[in-house]
Amino acid sequence: MKLYGLSNTKISCALISACISTPYNTTRFIKDLIAGITVGIIAIPLAMALAIASGVPPQHGLYTAIIAGFVIALTGGSKFSVSGPTAAFVVILYPVSLQYGLSGLFIATLLSGIFLVLMGLIRLGRLIEYIPLPVVLGFTSGIAITIATMQIKDFFGLTLEHMPESYISKVIELIKTLPTINIADTMVGVVTLTVLIVWPKLRLKISGHLPALIAGVIVMFIFNQFGYQIETIGSRFTYTLADNTIGHGIPSVLPEFVLPWQHAEFNWDWSTLTALLPISLTMAMLCAIESLLCAVVLDEMTHTKHHSNSELIGQGLGNIIAPFFGGISATAAIARSAANVKAGATSPIAAVLHSLVVLLALICFAPALSFIPLSAMAALLLIVAWNMSAVQRVIYIIKYAPKDDILIMLICMSLTVLFDMVIAITLGIVLASILFMRRIARMTRLVELNRSDDKTLVLRINGPLFFAAAERTFLEIYQKINGYKHIVLQWDAVPILDAGGLNALIHFIDELPEDVDLSICELQFQPLKTLARAKIVPISNKLMFYSTLDEALKDKTKP
């Protein structure tokens, strides 16, 4: 199915190739069902925990997994991706929810979805691959540090009225409140965290998320018998139904259709919209990066190939539709998607079934979910942050990567933690680009070839003649021409000549002494095309072009 007549830009690529182009049978459905149930069980606590960390009630995380997860699975370009709320968004969504409320968060999500669809339509999917690895590792590790810091309050049951915005202030405030530690909350968190750490070593097929939460709930009930009060989802969060009934915890009702901007607490004005636009673009960029990175990881695991632009459109549609049903920002989740593959998924139907499992849990088990302790949810997010930090890859880069890459990664990590992800990614990409250009510029070198006579200087240029290397290269040539009448430059190893290189060449020709001529030979296609467009033509006794070096030298040796 082509969208708006744009070739190679499709929606539902993954579904079409997995279930329509390839026959879909009962055996494959059973495999997808098992995978969907497995991932759904993992997604339920994660969706609630990530919603809480983002500053919104936990049911909105479930709504996101249900609506966005369903839509993206049907319309995206990756066969095995499972989408929903993810940890990467927490550092962006939390300030938005505090400043603009739930409606502001919905509108930002809607706008980010529109940006994502536009990215897919103009085929920006492949460009995401050009973001350097140190930048990606830097901001993901920085996000992990921020998320882990935000969980300290609930993990230890600290009494903290207001969490400051800046990271340093957060740390100072948390240290000040350490004397208020709640032993019961802490024990629940420690037991939950211990189960999460030990469980993978048992090598069981069942994920450790549900057993860890059950262990945390059991510890909570034990402490309750001794009079300890432990904060739970039900004790912190309340909801109001359409008939004005007020309840605690999570409402066991289907997501309702509500226009994002019609919530009572939202004050609509132009300044608010303009403030949300750059935030929405950041959310869209992060969604694009994370979803396509996830697709690449899944391709390596399954030896398949995703459709990047279709995936961006699918992610966009999911983020456009979800806010109308109470959903927040969603993207492909690497951990849940990897679990989906390991559980035996064969198509996007598994991700669809995962959304239905979350929906079933919302309707049937909402009262039970309200008993989950917040310290157990914090332990869950600490594991998520640890996995997200990619500590082993960070250590590997520090040990073996060039110093430039280490510097970029550490700068991105620091800026993400101390300021925000937008500054980190922007400065990281700019710095990485500058350092990359410096590396490429250093590759451009001059090689002096054997001279045919004392009046002819023959030089071979190795590397691109672009703005960062051209002036230095031609200055070096100019310093060598003393005593020579003929300069021959071999360009067989010059792949690129840009505007800066062209300007440097013209300046070099103009500065040549009257009795010195320049010959250029063996031009590659791109430099030749650039010279032709600039109308650089031979000048008698000044500038000549030759097909081969032998022709140029032969002409110089004529009597």
Side-chain angles (χ1 to χ4, degrees), residues 78 80-81 294-304 337-338 341:
S78 178
F80 306 102
S81 289
C294 177
V296 171
V297 171
L298 296 176
D299 288 348
E300 293 174 355
M301 293 177 64
T302 59
H303 306 290
T304 57
S337 301
V341 171

Side-chain angles (χ1 to χ4, degrees), residues 46-283:
L46 281 177
M48 293 190 295
L50 291 167
I52 294 170
S54 300
V56 300
Q59 64 265 27
H60 294 287
L62 298 176
Y63 297 159
T64 307
I66 295 167
I67 304 299
F70 187 91
V71 172
I72 294 169
L74 292 180
T75 60
S78 178
K79 294 180 182 179
F80 306 102
S81 289
V82 177
S83 297
T86 63
F89 277 102
V90 169
V91 294
I92 302 177
L93 303 189
Y94 184 75
V96 175
S97 62
L98 285 182
Q99 185 172 357
Y100 300 102
L102 195 56
S103 289
L105 189 55
F106 290 156
I107 292 174
T109 301
L110 172 62
L111 293 172
S112 72
I114 295 172
F115 282 127
L116 282 165
V117 171
L118 292 175
M119 288 180 190
L121 290 176
I122 61 178
R123 304 175 194 172
L124 292 181
R126 303 291 295 180
L127 295 180
I128 304 297
E129 298 175 4
Y130 292 98
I131 297 179
L133 177 62
V135 174
V136 175
L137 280 181
F139 81 76
T140 52
S141 299
I143 290 171
I145 293 170
T146 305
I147 292 172
T149 305
M150 292 170 63
Q151 305 317 306
I152 293 175
K153 173 183 175 293
D154 286 336
F155 187 87
F156 292 106
L158 302 178
T159 302
L160 181 61
E161 296 296 330
H162 174 70
M163 182 71 79
E165 291 188 13
S166 70
Y167 182 79
I168 301 297
S169 299
K170 282 186 178 76
V171 173
I172 294 173
E173 200 64 29
L174 287 170
I175 293 173
K176 287 181 179 178
T177 56
L178 280 179
T180 66
I181 186 172
N182 186 308
I183 298 299
D185 282 296
T186 304
M187 287 305 300
V188 170
V190 168
V191 170
T192 306
L193 187 62
T194 302
V195 174
L196 287 167
I197 294 172
V198 173
W199 193 266
K201 298 178 181 179
L202 302 177
R203 297 184 178 180
L204 300 175
K205 292 185 177 180
I206 302 173
S207 170
H209 295 77
L210 185 58
L213 289 179
I214 292 174
V217 171
I218 292 172
V219 174
M220 178 189 70
F221 281 127
I222 293 173
F223 273 95
N224 285 345
Q225 300 305 313
F226 294 94
Y228 288 93
Q229 296 299 316
I230 296 174
E231 195 170 23
T232 64
I233 289 176
S235 66
R236 177 178 293 186
F237 297 99
T238 60
Y239 59 87
T240 304
L241 299 178
D243 59 356
N244 293 324
T245 301
I246 298 176
H248 293 273
I250 298 172
S252 56
V253 296
L254 294 173
E256 296 181 355
F257 179 86
V258 180
L259 296 176
W261 50 86
Q262 287 191 341
H263 289 261
E265 78 277 7
F266 185 70
N267 296 318
W268 173 269
D269 56 44
W270 181 251
S271 61
T272 302
L273 179 62
T274 53
L276 289 175
L277 277 174
I279 298 172
S280 303
L281 182 58
T282 303
M283 292 162 61

Side-chain angles (χ1 to χ4, degrees), residues 291-342:
S291 62
L292 295 182
L293 283 176
C294 177
V296 171
V297 171
L298 296 176
D299 288 348
E300 293 174 355
M301 293 177 64
T302 59
H303 306 290
T304 57
K305 183 65 178 175
H306 73 280
H307 191 289
S308 57
N309 294 316
S310 177
E311 180 67 6
L312 290 181
I313 293 174
Q315 293 290 338
L317 293 174
N319 281 280
I320 289 173
I321 296 172
F324 290 91
F325 296 91
I328 58 176
S329 294
T331 186
I334 295 178
R336 273 162 274 173
S337 301
N340 188 40
V341 171
K342 292 177 182 178

Side-chain angles (χ1 to χ4, degrees), residues 408-481:
I408 292 168
M409 183 185 70
L410 294 178
I411 288 176
C412 286
M413 188 185 301
S414 302
L415 290 175
T416 302
V417 172
L418 298 176
F419 297 99
D420 62 59
M421 198 188 66
V422 182
I423 296 174
I425 294 180
T426 303
L427 186 59
I429 292 176
V430 170
L431 185 58
S433 301
I434 292 173
L435 293 176
F436 174 76
M437 287 185 287
R438 187 181 71 170
R439 291 180 191 172
I440 297 299
R442 288 177 175 177
M443 293 173 59
T444 304
R445 298 180 181 277
L446 287 175
V447 178
E448 189 169 344
L449 304 179
N450 293 329
R451 298 190 294 270
S452 58
D453 57 63
D454 293 338
K455 295 182 179 181
T456 303
L457 175 63
V458 184
L459 297 171
R460 184 172 187 259
I461 301 178
N462 283 319
L465 285 174
F466 70 116
F467 64 93
E471 286 196 21
R472 173 184 56 80
T473 301
F474 284 111
L475 177 61
E476 189 177 344
I477 296 172
Y478 194 84
Q479 292 171 346
K480 292 177 177 289
I481 66 175

